[in-house]
Amino acid sequence: MSSTIGLIGLGTMGKALARNIASKGFKVSVWNRTPETTTEYILKYGNEFLTAAENFEAFVEGLQLPRKIVLMLPDGAPTEEILRKLLPALDDGDCVMDGANALFRLTELHQKQLLEKGVHFLGTGVSGGEEGALHGPSLMPGGSHEAWQSFEPILMAIAAEDFNGKACAAYMGGGGAGHYVKMVHNGIEYAEMQALAEAYDLLRSIYQLKNEEIAQIFTQWKEGPLESFLIDMAVEVLKKQEEGKSLLELIVDKAGQKGTGTWTSQEALALGVPTPSLTGAVFARSLSAEKDTRTRLAPLLKTPKTVASLTLTDFTAHLEKALTLARLSHFTQGFALLQAAETEHHYGFPFVEIARVWQGGCIIRCALLKDIHAHYTPLLYDAAFAQELILENLQNLRTIVATASSQAIPLFALSGSLTHLDAYRRAELPANFIQGLRDRFGAHGFERKDKEGTFHSDWK
Ligand code: 6PG
């Protein structure tokens, strides 16, 4: 009997997603470039809902018409290769979904290319890592509406649940909308991770806390306003021991990156949206990778010794509030980028739905998304709940940034959030000075407060 859906690519995410689909009672057939992987996988997990075909032709032929095929491949060459192989075998009306972290522009190109053959293409952001893919990811599909309708029952069944028990999946709009939303999700993810890393750095550097002690502080935060998936993960990472040692102490301090944070920042720059924390987090990873240079400069530039001026209890209370406000800033920056992208690309983003779909399954899921969803505004700082939070927590964030600065501890994300907030609180910025300089040396012109129009002055 034919399968309801086909899945290509048995990497970590593909393996987990196929099992999730099968567990919901959909017949799924899988294919992988290396047959050994498929054989091993089917031996372990195969059942009447989870099968594999003999070869690629049988895989394509064995799917119900119009076909539904999910690609779970690394973006770039592997996806291109499979699309080239797949396209001649597909028929008018078939639907293909790409669940990788693909660049939205490429998704749009694929959508066009496939539509020439009458094949509908859905670019879907899938968040939640292996566990999410297996037990319920957050799903951000976008592109062909026909493809969305075709995949919808399956995606709704396999997704995580939001705070009210609804599926964390919704149509994100046309073109590359789905992958765009996932890209911004990852930009926020970078800032969230960096802010937590900075909190860890402050606690270990100023208070000489051991990882186990920092884990205790993070554990207390889990129950409060900072409640989030990444805090849970942080506790596990801080606690992990290997051969009697904290594993964190054995990990080299060079952060990797696959590129989604950089894409977010490139888009923010292209659209003129300030995302200092999101972009700062990317820079932090880049600078961390310069381990040799840091190691060479550290003794030459003589890092000062840290001294604690606040009690640990007071400092920790400031830090919790600072991180809570920083989180609001990360989401504000991310949603501001989505708003600008809507003006630029006209995807039809369902902004309020995005705040709902991120409530379960994904890496940035957190308690704050309840308020963001309930009181969404294009710039989140405009919302009453946000203003309350800013007035309540801003001094704490300032104390943390000031302390870090006095102790020579770099804060790429937390200081970015403070600057972002402070700038939005200023009706007057020194941009008049920039305009004066631009006009003085380049005759670029400026607007005046007292008259309409564009002016140029003879400055000499
Ligand atoms: C998710 C994650 C996932 C992954 C990214 C980021 O939502 O499940 O964002 O997509 O963590 O690949 O990886 P990098 O940190 O390597 O950019």
Side-chain angles (χ1 to χ4, degrees):
M1 221 177 94
S2 55
S3 300
T4 312
I5 185 168
L7 185 142
I8 299 178
L10 291 176
T12 310
M13 293 294 282
K15 279 179 178 162
L17 205 70
R19 285 173 61 201
N20 184 352
I21 296 171
S23 77
K24 296 289 183 289
F26 298 100
K27 283 181 73 84
V28 51
S29 167
V30 296
W31 189 83
N32 193 65
R33 203 168 47 161
T34 42
E36 300 77 31
T37 307
T38 314
T39 311
E40 207 179 293
Y41 177 69
I42 291 297
L43 265 178
K44 199 160 174 195
Y45 300 111
N47 57 41
E48 60 168 313
F49 292 102
L50 184 51
T51 56
E54 284 284 286
N55 53 42
F56 191 71
E57 290 68 31
F59 166 77
V60 176
E61 286 313 312
L63 300 176
Q64 275 169 27
L65 296 177
R67 297 180 185 85
K68 286 186 273 297
I69 299 176
V70 176
L71 308 183
M72 293 302 292
L73 297 158
D75 69 313
T79 301
E80 298 301 326
E81 197 186 307
I82 282 296
L83 281 174
R84 272 197 301 276
K85 192 176 162 90
L86 192 59
L87 203 51
L90 296 182
D91 294 304
D92 198 55
D94 285 350
C95 295
V96 174
M97 174 182 128
D98 179 8
N101 273 335
L103 182 61
F104 68 98
R105 290 186 206 287
L106 205 57
T107 302
E108 287 171 7
L109 185 71
H110 289 151
Q111 206 186 326
K112 274 204 193 103
Q113 287 170 341
L114 269 68
L115 199 57
E116 280 169 21
K117 238 211 122 179
V119 175
H120 306 294
F121 190 75
L122 195 68
T124 299
V126 179
S127 179
E130 186 181 8
E131 279 175 48
L134 185 59
H135 301 295
S138 172
L139 296 168
M140 294 150 255
S144 153
H145 202 262
E146 286 88 341
W148 159 240
Q149 285 174 321
S150 166
F151 281 105
E152 185 179 356
I154 300 174
L155 298 187
M156 297 304 265
I158 64 167
E161 289 182 356
D162 70 15
F163 297 151
N164 294 310
K166 276 177 68 184
C168 287
Y171 182 62
M172 296 286 133
H179 280 141
Y180 201 103
V181 173
K182 178 60 176 30
M183 174 189 80
V184 174
H185 166 285
N186 281 32
I188 297 171
E189 173 186 308
Y190 270 52
E192 287 278 292
M193 290 167 69
Q194 180 62 26
L196 290 178
E198 289 170 1
Y200 151 76
D201 197 13
L202 288 160
L203 291 168
R204 71 170 179 179
S205 304
I206 304 178
Y207 295 91
Q208 281 78 49
L209 295 193
K210 302 221 173 351
N211 292 336
E212 183 55 43
E213 294 167 311
I214 301 174
Q216 279 168 23
I217 294 169
F218 277 47
T219 303
Q220 284 159 20
W221 291 346
K222 277 168 61 150
E223 312 303 326
L226 275 177
E227 183 188 340
S228 63
F229 172 73
L230 277 171
I231 285 270
D232 293 350
M233 295 297 99
V235 170
E236 288 182 20
V237 167
L238 284 160
K239 279 187 172 167
K240 178 72 182 169
Q241 300 275 318
E242 249 184 43
E243 290 156 24
K245 283 199 189 115
S246 166
L247 180 56
L248 262 188
E249 298 311 309
L250 302 173
I251 298 180
V252 178
D253 59 326
K254 285 162 60 170
Q257 50 184 314
K258 286 196 198 129
T260 45
T262 304
W263 295 346
T264 311
S265 297
Q266 283 168 337
E267 264 298 289
L269 283 173
L271 300 182
V273 180
T275 54
S277 317
L278 279 52
T279 304
V282 179
F283 289 153
R285 290 199 195 186
S286 308
L287 210 148
S288 79
E290 291 188 48
K291 176 81 175 164
D292 291 348
T293 311
R294 291 188 284 116
T295 308
R296 178 168 52 76
L297 286 178
L300 296 177
L301 299 181
K302 297 189 178 45
T303 313
K305 266 208 162 348
T306 52
V307 271
S309 52
L310 293 166
T311 65
L312 177 60
T313 312
D314 285 350
F315 186 81
T316 307
H318 284 303
L319 195 50
E320 182 181 17
K321 289 185 147 206
L323 287 169
T324 308
L325 184 54
R327 174 167 295 160
L328 171 72
S329 181
H330 304 157
F331 278 95
T332 302
Q333 293 171 42
F335 274 107
L337 177 54
L338 288 172
Q339 287 287 155
E342 181 60 32
T343 307
E344 178 76 12
H345 303 289
H346 309 288
Y347 287 138
F349 285 140
F351 294 101
V352 177
E353 274 292 271
I354 295 171
R356 188 189 65 73
V357 162
W358 286 350
Q359 288 179 358
C362 72
I363 307 296
I364 60 172
R365 62 190 193 252
C366 61
L368 187 69
L369 279 161
K370 190 168 189 227
D371 280 332
I372 297 177
H373 177 251
H375 309 287
Y376 182 79
T377 52
L379 187 76
L380 291 176
Y381 296 155
D382 276 321
F385 85 89
Q387 288 175 9
E388 238 173 72
L389 189 61
I390 294 167
L391 293 177
E392 170 76 23
N393 292 24
L394 192 60
Q395 201 47 45
N396 307 101
L397 179 56
R398 197 175 307 291
T399 302
I400 292 300
V401 174
T403 308
S405 168
S406 71
Q407 304 296 314
I409 295 170
L411 296 186
F412 284 89
L414 289 173
S415 66
S417 293
L418 181 61
T419 300
H420 192 253
L421 275 153
D422 277 339
Y424 274 107
R425 295 165 74 233
R426 288 283 296 278
E428 290 281 328
L429 285 171
N432 51 337
F433 187 79
I434 305 287
Q435 288 298 76
L437 286 175
R438 288 178 72 237
D439 194 57
R440 169 63 186 85
F441 64 70
H444 293 297
F446 51 84
E447 289 177 67
R448 297 178 63 110
K449 290 177 180 171
D450 54 349
K451 295 180 208 165
E452 286 284 308
T454 305
F455 298 87
H456 165 59
S457 181
D458 175 11
W459 292 89
K460 283 181 239 162

